[in-house]
Amino acid sequence: MNRAIHINANHTFEVTYRPKPTHVAILLSALLLSGCASFSPDGGMTVVANVAGETIKKDVVSIRSTDDAEWAKGAVQSLLRRGLTVDTAVQIALLNNRGLQAAYNELALAEADLVQESLPPNPTFSISRIAGGGAVEIERQVAADILALATLPFRSEIARQHFKQAQLRAAEGTLRLAADVRRTYYRAVAANELVTLLTDAKSTAESTAQLALKLGQTGSLNKLDQAREQVFYAEVTADLATLRQDATSSRERLIRLLGLWDGDLGFRLPQRLPMLPRRPLSLPGIEVDAVEHRVDLQIARIELVALAKSLNLTEATRFVTLVDVAGIDKKTRDSGSPPLRERGFDVQFQIPIFDGGEVRVRQAIETYNLAFNRLTEKAINVRSEARDAFRVYRSTYDIAGHYQREVLPLRQIITQEMQLRFSSMQIDVFALLVEARQRIAALRAAIEAKRDFWLAQSELKTAVNGGGRADSQPETRSSPTAQASGGGGH
C-alpha cells in the first residue's frame, strides 16, 4: 500500500492511498443507494387548494397547460354572465389574476429547489494522459463530495421545510388577493349607491336653486337666502363629481384584481350594498382561532423549525467543511516492458487551522434567535389584531344597525310630517328643503356605516385566516352635504 500526504496552499489535507483491491464501484454504489427525489403531480398546490377551500370556500388552479387555461377562461366567462356578487368576484380573481399565477410559478420553482437539494452530488470524472520518452501514463479518476453525500438527508429535510414555507406563502397570496377583492368590491358598490343618492340630491338642489333665483328676481327672497340655496347646489355638484370619480377608480381597481381585459369589462355591479346580517358573529375564542389558523404565523413556525435543523447541521459540520474522495485507476506503459496498472483512492479534507467554524455557528445561532423573536412578536400581534378586528366588526355592526333601526325611520317620520305641514301651508318650501338636506345627509351616513361594516367583516376574516391587512382603514367622508343640518333656515 502506498500513501502520500500533502498540505495544499488552501490548507486542505490530502491523503492518497493505492491499495490493490479497491474499486471505484464502491463509491458509485453509495451514490446510487442515496436515492433521488421527484416532482409532485400537482406542483405543491394541494396545500394551497386546501387552505382556499377551508377558509374562503373557493377553488384555485395553477395554469400550466392549454387545457388549464381554457377551463379557467370558461369558468370566468360563466361567472361574468351573472350579476357580480362578492363571492363570484373572489372566485373570478382566483382563477384569472395573473399575479396570483406568478405566485404559483414561484411555488413550482420552490419545488424545483427541493428536488435539487434532495439529489445526491454528481461525481466528477477526470482523465489524464502523459507521454514522453517512449512511456505513456494514463490516469482516470472518479471523485465525489462525501460530506455533501453524508449530509444529504439533513439538507433534504431543510429544503422540505422551505418548500412547506413556499406552499403557505402561495396560500397567503391567495388569501391576500381574496381580501383585496372583497374590500374593493364593497367600496365600489358603496360608491355606486352614493352616486345614486347624490344624483337625486343634485336634481332637488338644482330645482331649489332655480326657484331661489326666480324669487330673488321678484324681490321675494333676499340675497343671503339665495346664496344659501345656490351654494348647496354647487356643493352637491362637486361632491357628486368626486363620488363618480371614486366609483370609476374603485371599478378599475376591481377590474385589475379580477385580471380582466377590455373585452371583459361588461360585468354588472349591484347598485346597493347587501343588507346587514340579522345577528353579528359571536367569536369568543377568536384569539385562539387566529393563532391556530393565521397562515403567516404558520410560515414563521416552519421557518423556525428549518433554522433549528440548519443550526444543528452547522454545528455538526463545524470543523469539517470539505471531504472529497476520488477513485483512481492508473496505467503506465514503458517501451519494451509490460504495462503497469495501479488502483487506489484519494481523500481530501480541510484542516480547521484558522477557521474553526465559530463564525458560521454564531451566524446560525443569531439567525435562529432573530426568527424566534419575530415569531413571538408576530404571535402577540396576531392576538391583538384579532381582538381589534372583532371589536371594530361589532362596533360597525352596531353603528350601521343603529342607522337602519333608529335614525332612518325617524328621518322618514320627520319627512312625512313636514310634507303634511307643507300641504296645509304651515311651512314654506324652503323649510321642506332644509329637511330634505338633512335626510340626504342621514342616508349618506347610513350607506357609509354599512360600507364600513362590510369592510370590517373582511378585515375580521383576514385577521383570523391571514392574507395581510388593508393599506388604509375604512374612511368616512365628511362632506358639506353630510353637515347639512346648519343649512338654509328661513
Side-chain angles (χ1 to χ4, degrees):
M1 177 186 297
N2 297 326
R3 179 176 63 184
I5 302 176
H6 309 281
I7 298 179
N8 300 329
N10 58 352
H11 306 290
T12 59
F13 187 74
E14 184 175 351
V15 183
T16 304
Y17 296 91
R18 301 191 185 279
K20 293 182 179 179
T22 304
H23 296 285
V24 178
I26 298 175
L27 178 61
L28 298 177
S29 300
L31 292 174
L32 292 175
L33 290 175
S34 60
C36 298
S38 60
F39 292 94
S40 60
D42 62 347
M45 284 295 295
T46 301
V47 172
V48 181
N50 290 340
V51 171
E54 293 172 2
T55 57
I56 56 178
K57 306 295 188 286
K58 295 293 180 292
D59 297 325
V60 295
V61 61
S62 178
I63 300 176
R64 298 179 180 177
S65 65
T66 305
D67 292 339
D68 293 339
E70 290 297 327
W71 179 87
K73 182 178 179 181
V76 168
Q77 290 177 348
S78 176
L79 292 170
L80 285 173
R81 295 189 192 102
R82 317 172 195 171
L84 200 66
T85 65
V86 66
D87 288 328
T88 57
V90 170
Q91 185 61 82
I92 289 172
L94 297 185
L95 297 177
N96 205 48
N97 185 282
R98 292 298 166 174
L100 184 62
Q101 291 300 317
Y104 296 161
N105 295 143
E106 291 179 357
L107 175 59
L109 292 174
E111 186 183 36
D113 293 338
L114 168 62
V115 174
Q116 179 68 37
E117 290 296 325
S118 300
L119 294 174
N122 289 325
T124 302
F125 176 77
S126 66
I127 184 170
S128 62
R129 183 180 184 276
I130 302 175
V136 177
E137 181 179 289
I138 300 175
E139 181 174 304
R140 294 180 291 270
Q141 290 191 24
V142 178
D145 188 347
I146 295 301
L147 181 62
L149 184 60
T151 59
L152 178 62
F154 304 98
R155 292 186 292 106
S156 178
E157 180 59 28
I158 294 171
R160 191 169 288 106
Q161 295 294 329
H162 289 160
F163 179 59
K164 290 180 181 178
Q165 274 187 288
Q167 288 179 307
L168 290 178
R169 290 191 191 282
E172 186 182 28
T174 303
L175 297 180
R176 183 179 297 112
L177 177 61
D180 288 342
V181 170
R182 284 195 299 265
R183 297 184 195 106
T184 306
Y185 175 87
Y186 288 130
R187 288 194 175 104
V189 175
N192 286 345
E193 190 169 356
L194 288 171
V195 166
T196 301
L197 175 66
L198 265 292
T199 300
D200 296 338
K202 179 186 175 183
S203 178
T204 301
E206 184 178 10
S207 301
T208 305
Q210 292 176 354
L211 177 60
L213 181 60
K214 292 179 180 179
L215 292 176
Q217 292 174 350
T218 62
S220 301
L221 193 66
N222 60 50
K223 193 171 183 179
L224 175 61
D225 292 335
Q226 290 182 58
R228 283 173 174 168
E229 302 306 327
Q230 290 170 354
V231 76
F232 176 66
Y233 171 63
E235 289 170 348
V236 170
T237 301
D239 210 10
L240 178 59
T242 301
L243 286 173
R244 282 176 174 163
Q245 180 57 50
D246 289 345
T248 302
S249 297
S250 297
R251 182 182 177 89
E252 287 296 333
R253 174 164 173 75
L254 185 60
I255 288 171
R256 294 194 295 271
L257 292 174
L258 299 184
L260 299 178
W261 292 92
D262 291 342
D264 303 325
L265 304 187
F267 63 86
R268 301 186 304 275
L269 280 174
Q271 294 301 312
R272 292 180 177 276
L273 288 166
M275 297 298 295
L276 295 177
R278 291 187 176 181
R279 295 182 182 85
L281 297 175
S282 177
L283 300 173
I286 185 171
E287 296 177 47
V288 177
D289 291 341
V291 171
E292 290 180 353
H293 296 98
R294 277 285 287 263
V295 176
D296 53 347
L297 202 57
Q298 296 180 45
I299 293 173
R301 292 193 190 104
I302 292 177
E303 181 182 7
L304 192 66
V305 172
L307 288 174
K309 295 180 181 297
S310 180
L311 175 59
N312 292 335
L313 179 60
T314 302
E315 291 177 338
T317 60
R318 173 176 181 173
F319 297 105
V320 181
T321 59
L322 172 66
V323 178
D324 289 339
V325 175
I328 303 173
D329 181 79
K330 184 176 180 180
K331 185 177 181 181
T332 304
R333 183 175 57 193
D334 292 330
S335 59
S337 62
L340 175 65
R341 189 161 190 167
E342 298 175 287
R343 294 184 180 92
F345 62 89
D346 179 89
V347 179
Q348 183 178 9
F349 58 91
Q350 192 175 66
I351 301 176
I353 297 177
F354 303 109
D355 183 5
E358 182 179 357
V359 174
R360 293 188 298 113
V361 172
R362 180 63 63 88
Q363 289 173 338
I365 291 174
E366 293 305 323
T367 302
Y368 176 84
N369 291 337
L370 183 148
F372 175 79
N373 289 325
R374 284 183 174 173
L375 174 61
T376 305
E377 179 192 28
K378 187 177 289 293
I380 294 172
N381 293 343
V382 163
R383 292 172 64 90
S384 176
E385 289 171 8
R387 291 193 301 268
D388 184 54
F390 184 70
R391 291 192 187 104
V392 173
Y393 167 81
R394 283 306 308 264
S395 176
T396 53
Y397 179 84
D398 293 339
I399 293 171
H402 181 73
Y403 272 100
Q404 300 295 327
R405 293 187 305 269
E406 302 291 339
V407 177
L408 295 186
L410 289 174
R411 277 294 169 193
Q412 183 65 26
I413 293 172
I414 293 173
T415 299
Q416 292 173 354
E417 292 297 322
M418 293 291 287
Q419 289 175 347
L420 290 175
R421 283 163 175 73
F422 176 73
S423 300
S424 61
M425 301 186 68
Q426 297 180 28
I427 58 174
D428 60 10
V429 66
F430 293 104
L432 188 64
L433 292 173
V434 169
E435 169 55 30
R437 297 177 198 173
Q438 296 173 347
R439 183 169 180 270
I440 290 170
L443 287 171
R444 178 169 183 171
I447 294 172
E448 291 173 344
K450 190 162 56 171
R451 175 202 64 195
D452 291 345
F453 164 75
W454 289 113
L455 291 176
Q457 187 185 68
S458 298
E459 292 300 323
L460 180 61
K461 292 181 179 179
T462 300
V464 174
N465 298 322
R469 294 179 62 84
D471 295 334
S472 59
Q473 296 297 323
E475 59 182 31
T476 54
R477 191 181 300 275
S478 178
S479 66
T481 54
Q483 301 176 355
S485 59
H490 296 275

